[in-house]
Amino acid sequence: MLLSELNRGEKARIVDLSRVNDMVKRRLLDLGVMEGMEIQLKERMPFKGPFMLNHGGQCLGIRHQEAVQIEIKRL
Amino acid sequence: MNLALLGNPNTGKTSLFNNLTGSYEYVGNWSGVTVEKKIGTLKNKAGQLIDLPGIYTLNPLSKDEGVVSNFFIHDSFDGIVNIVDASQLERNLNLTIQLLEFGKPLVIGLNMNDVAKNRGIYVDEQKLSTALHVPVTSIIARTGKGCSLLRDQLANLQTIEQQPLILHYGAALEKGIEALSKLMPKQAANHFPHRWLALQFFESNQNVQDFLAAFISTETLKALYEETEQAVQKGHGVNSLSQWIYTVRRTYIDSIIEQAVDRQSAHSTNWTDRIDAVVTNKVLGLPIFLLCMLLLFKLTFDWLGTPLSDALDSFFSGPLTNWLSWILTSIGASSFIQALVLNGIISGVGGVLVFMPQIFILFFFISLLEDSGYMARVALVMDKVMESVGLNGKAFIPMIIGFGCNVPGIMAARTIEQPKERLLTILLTPLMSCSARLPVYALFVGAFFVQYQTIIVFSLYLLGIVMALLLAKLFSMTILKEEQSLFVIELPPYRLPQSKALFRSTWDKGKGFIRKAGTFIFGGSVIIWLLTYAGPHGLNVQMDDSFLALVGGFAAPLLAPLGFGTWQAGAALITGFLAKEVVVSSMNIIYHVPNVDSLQGLMATQFTPLAAFTFMVFVLLYIPCLATVGTIRKETGSAKWTYFSIIYALVLAYVLSFVIYQGGKLLGF
């Protein structure tokens, strides 16, 4: 399933990031987000706005357009 | 001894800089705060400390990060202070590894141990030190705890013979590293470890690639890169070289964490999550932000700022003027000097300084937004709006900083990764109503719109934002088209701002205003007064026959369709290019009145309320001030875009003012 299909508060493991734009992927890697990592959806902004994720105690925001390209597995 | 201070964004790096050097520097927890290369002397005089922008890795994505990469390639330094966030050790050590590979002596300041402990992460600094073979000191950067110990270690840094860390990256990549090292000129080895350069090259560090291209042909570099990448892809089953390098480092980091970190279950409430549940709530997020802004304006203008500045005004126009005129008379100053001081300097400089309370209150709240960690949330909440006009949420931060002063706002745009979005932000930040425009509003609002003060001023701020958004849309659809946009933002934990740091950063921002009063506005006032004193037919002429009237007269016919076609308005606007406050200084001098109250009385006879509002709109938009133009030139590196920023603003101001004034007249105002 896709990250965009996750509900608020749910946890998931990232399965595939290969479809994400290179610059975004690099920035996510800088923040320690890569395949195999566990994330939690904290909040999603309205009107297909950004997603707030929790990853190992740090909080980060990404766009909806990226969330639809991230393959995850719900935990 | 020159030391470089490096660390991830939002780790307390700037606080540490202040504590180690004791200098009054800008503290903030938004990643874009450190924009210039700052140098301070260590408190124990052991050497100089260079503050660099916060980075996650040495491989740059944004302009800000490129500064660090270039520093490593081109500057010489003796050692590194690496601040590490204990609560995000994995991520922070990724940078540390790259610094260790560079091979300069290094000391780690382990910050935020308290945050880590609250999350159940116990970092043993002794074990960490043993595992990394460098000194590690636990510190609390915000309060300065542990910083003197760190300073002592820095003093001994030069005696340490640091060997570069060598990780084994697997046969395929090692072969590439060796091949590339052989191609590098021998003399480069004195300055940099070849291995570090090669690794950064294979990680696709653009600055290192450019640097190497000076010694090695681009075709050779490209062929070597592709050959190595293919070998690594085949050998390790990864997508890219950078991913492989990251994986190797990560494995090493995991082994270090295994040795030095003890994890237990978290035992305290997570305040950040609780606050975020409200502040970045899907429904409440945007209203809460708007409410914060409204509150900020209410406090700045209504509740706190205005009473204070009224008190200051009566002090300037009463006791101070009397006292100065008594001194001038008793020392027997000529009437020329007396007029210059009382009518020129006191009116001009004093007329602007009375707005100091409002400006400092505004700066205080901007510092509060930065230091608390709320600023990054604003970027998140605003991203959808900004995206719809071709920008991203991060562009909103320079704009908010621009409310204080456009110059740091424009510099803060450096953290925006996308070049087009950065340029657009630079061009549009001057439309944010900075604190220097505030005296102009305060003057006119006090004269014409006493009952609607907040609403009128708020409408001007809003107008600036709306215009910036509309133009962003227009420019991004026409002259600045670009396909991909990038928005990934770290939302740091909330921190209770420290009063000391808060006052420091308020003062750092506000002192620029006072300095400006002492230089630009002082000089401008003297010149303006001289221009009113002298005319084509001699000295001490009637104001209407002065040089200033002559100059202002040229502009007057152009301004007539906007409702303020007087030479006074023309002269005030022309001189306002120096600094927007000078508009008020000029008016004080031209109308030659003792205080703001009587000036406001006089203005009522010169402007209609509609013309007054139009004048404020014009001042808001018409031109970036001199300092801002200089910053735009420096930051864009382009004369073309600098002219563009001036011209579009003039056109916009004229057209909009024309529409408001003529439209308002038709509607019967």
Side-chain angles (χ1 to χ4, degrees), chain A residues 31, chain B residues 7-13 28-32 54-56 85 91-92 111-112 370 373 376 489-493 495:
Chain A
L31 292 164
Chain B
N8 280 197
N10 307 310
T11 48
K13 200 169 55 61
N29 92 355
W30 176 62
S31 51
I55 47 163
Y56 298 107
D85 176 354
R91 192 189 81 196
N92 279 257
N111 197 22
M112 306 211 193
E370 284 174 354
I489 191 165
E490 186 193 351
L491 304 165
R495 281 154 217 167

Side-chain angles (χ1 to χ4, degrees), chain B residues 115-360:
Chain B
V115 181
K117 276 181 192 148
N118 280 340
R119 290 207 196 126
I121 304 166
Y122 293 83
V123 184
D124 185 323
E125 57 197 83
Q126 216 52 53
K127 287 181 182 162
L128 187 63
S129 170
T130 315
L132 289 168
H133 308 290
V134 291
V136 177
T137 308
S138 187
I139 55 167
I140 301 176
R142 278 148 56 74
T143 60
K145 206 178 149 206
C147 288
S148 59
L149 199 64
L150 188 65
R151 250 193 322 267
D152 294 342
Q153 288 183 333
L154 293 180
N156 304 328
L157 205 58
Q158 265 179 327
T159 59
I160 300 173
E161 191 66 41
Q162 185 90 29
Q163 291 299 320
L165 171 73
I166 295 181
L167 293 183
H168 190 76
Y169 286 92
L173 182 53
E174 289 297 335
K175 193 172 152 237
I177 293 170
E178 202 181 280
L180 183 58
S181 299
K182 276 194 189 129
L183 293 172
M184 285 183 216
K186 282 282 169 285
Q187 67 267 26
N190 302 331
H191 301 292
F192 338 90
H194 283 174
R195 191 180 166 80
W196 179 86
L197 275 176
L199 271 168
Q200 290 292 323
F201 169 81
F202 286 121
E203 245 196 299
S204 41
N205 181 329
Q206 189 61 47
N207 298 50
V208 168
Q209 291 182 346
D210 292 345
F211 173 71
L212 289 178
F215 310 106
I216 308 162
S217 81
T218 28
E219 292 82 46
T220 318
L221 286 175
K222 200 161 167 257
L224 187 59
Y225 184 91
E226 280 167 4
E227 187 189 315
T228 311
E229 182 159 64
Q230 276 164 16
V232 167
Q233 279 167 342
K234 219 185 307 163
H236 305 289
V238 290
N239 296 327
S240 67
L241 267 174
S242 54
Q243 197 196 341
W244 172 244
I245 294 174
Y246 184 88
T247 311
V248 173
R249 286 182 185 149
R250 185 75 189 213
T251 313
Y252 180 67
I253 291 168
D254 287 344
S255 76
I256 285 172
I257 287 181
E258 185 87 3
Q259 296 169 52
V261 178
D262 182 25
R263 272 177 212 276
Q264 293 171 8
S265 56
H267 48 70
S268 83
T269 42
N270 187 336
W271 282 105
T272 294
D273 280 349
R274 286 195 177 182
I275 298 171
D276 270 344
V278 181
V279 162
T280 55
N281 179 283
K282 159 178 220 166
V283 184
L284 297 175
L286 202 57
I288 286 179
F289 168 60
L290 294 176
L291 205 68
C292 281
M293 294 308 279
L294 195 65
L295 197 69
L296 188 157
F297 287 112
K298 267 291 189 196
L299 275 167
T300 308
F301 299 105
D302 263 10
W303 300 334
L304 218 67
T306 310
L308 284 171
S309 80
D310 283 350
L312 206 58
D313 185 35
S314 48
F315 169 73
F316 280 146
S317 58
L320 187 71
T321 310
N322 295 342
W323 183 67
L324 269 175
S325 89
W326 178 79
I327 290 189
L328 288 169
T329 323
S330 56
I331 60 169
S334 68
S335 63
F336 171 79
I337 295 290
Q338 287 206 22
L340 173 66
V341 172
L342 299 177
N343 306 338
I345 295 168
I346 292 278
S347 308
V349 180
V352 170
L353 276 183
V354 294
F355 297 102
M356 210 164 57
Q358 274 123 325
I359 288 169
F360 270 79

